[in-house]
Amino acid sequence: MPNPVLYFMHEPEICFVWCLFFPLLDMSAKLVLALIVALQVSMCLCAPEPDKELVDKYEEMKATFYKRLLNAYKKAQGAAGPIAEGNPQASMIKEYIESLQADPKMQNAVKVITGMAGELGPAVDRARSGALGVYGEYLRPYIGTYLDHAISGIKPVLDAVLPADE
């Protein structure tokens, strides 16, 4: 197996940062940083792939969670609409929000945040896949049935409080 630190040094961007800040650290911080980098690289190289069934189950639960949130948002927006109609403070808040949406600085900030989210998407997907793989390999045999029973018990409560369908 190749040395993880040497593997790490083949990445040009990371190597540049490493070489830039490495001389500024004291010896104990250097050892800790080297250990963290070595462990991170070795863990990244040997993360197990998640099962297809586990990924499908996760995606289904994530989609249901987003549906619940969207439904709750629509209900809250529908309930707040009639209350805000006759309120002068609500109209001031609405005008302020519209002025913020028209502000070029705010539009640029939204573009930057959207761009960052787009760039971080693949990294988040890899991290999620790695976490699901580690869960499926090491934790699921021990706590999978308990977690499944807990989720099955919580679903009826969530269906009553935050239904996924309207």
Side-chain angles (χ1 to χ4, degrees):
M1 180 174 165
N3 186 345
V5 175
L6 294 177
Y7 173 80
F8 175 72
M9 289 304 196
H10 290 292
E11 299 292 327
E13 305 88 22
I14 299 173
C15 184
F16 173 74
V17 173
W18 176 272
C19 295
L20 184 67
F21 291 110
F22 195 73
L24 302 175
L25 301 173
D26 65 339
M27 194 59 186
S28 62
K30 289 178 185 178
L31 291 173
V32 169
L33 185 62
L35 180 64
I36 290 171
V37 168
L39 289 174
Q40 178 189 11
V41 170
S42 66
M43 287 299 292
C44 290
L45 294 176
C46 62
E49 287 292 319
D51 296 333
K52 177 75 171 141
E53 178 259 333
L54 182 62
V55 172
D56 293 340
K57 191 172 185 178
Y58 171 79
E59 292 294 331
E60 176 193 349
M61 287 183 179
K62 185 174 79 167
T64 303
F65 177 72
Y66 286 145
K67 286 178 188 177
R68 290 181 196 279
L69 286 180
L70 185 60
N71 192 18
Y73 174 74
K74 287 179 182 178
K75 284 184 179 181
Q77 190 177 24
I83 296 171
E85 289 297 322
N87 193 346
Q89 292 174 341
S91 63
M92 289 174 44
I93 292 172
K94 186 176 179 181
E95 290 172 8
Y96 179 70
I97 291 173
E98 288 173 356
S99 69
L100 278 179
Q101 289 175 344
D103 186 19
K105 290 180 183 177
M106 183 60 82
Q107 291 173 352
N108 288 336
V110 168
K111 287 179 185 177
V112 167
I113 292 170
T114 304
M116 287 174 54
E119 292 291 326
L120 289 176
V124 170
D125 289 339
R126 283 194 309 269
R128 185 180 302 129
S129 175
L132 283 175
V134 168
Y135 167 75
E137 182 74 23
Y138 301 110
L139 296 176
R140 195 172 189 193
Y142 301 107
I143 64 170
T145 55
Y146 302 114
L147 188 59
D148 192 37
H149 289 302
I151 290 171
S152 298
I154 291 172
K155 276 186 182 181
V157 175
L158 285 174
D159 286 339
V161 176
L162 282 174
D165 300 324
E166 293 183 22

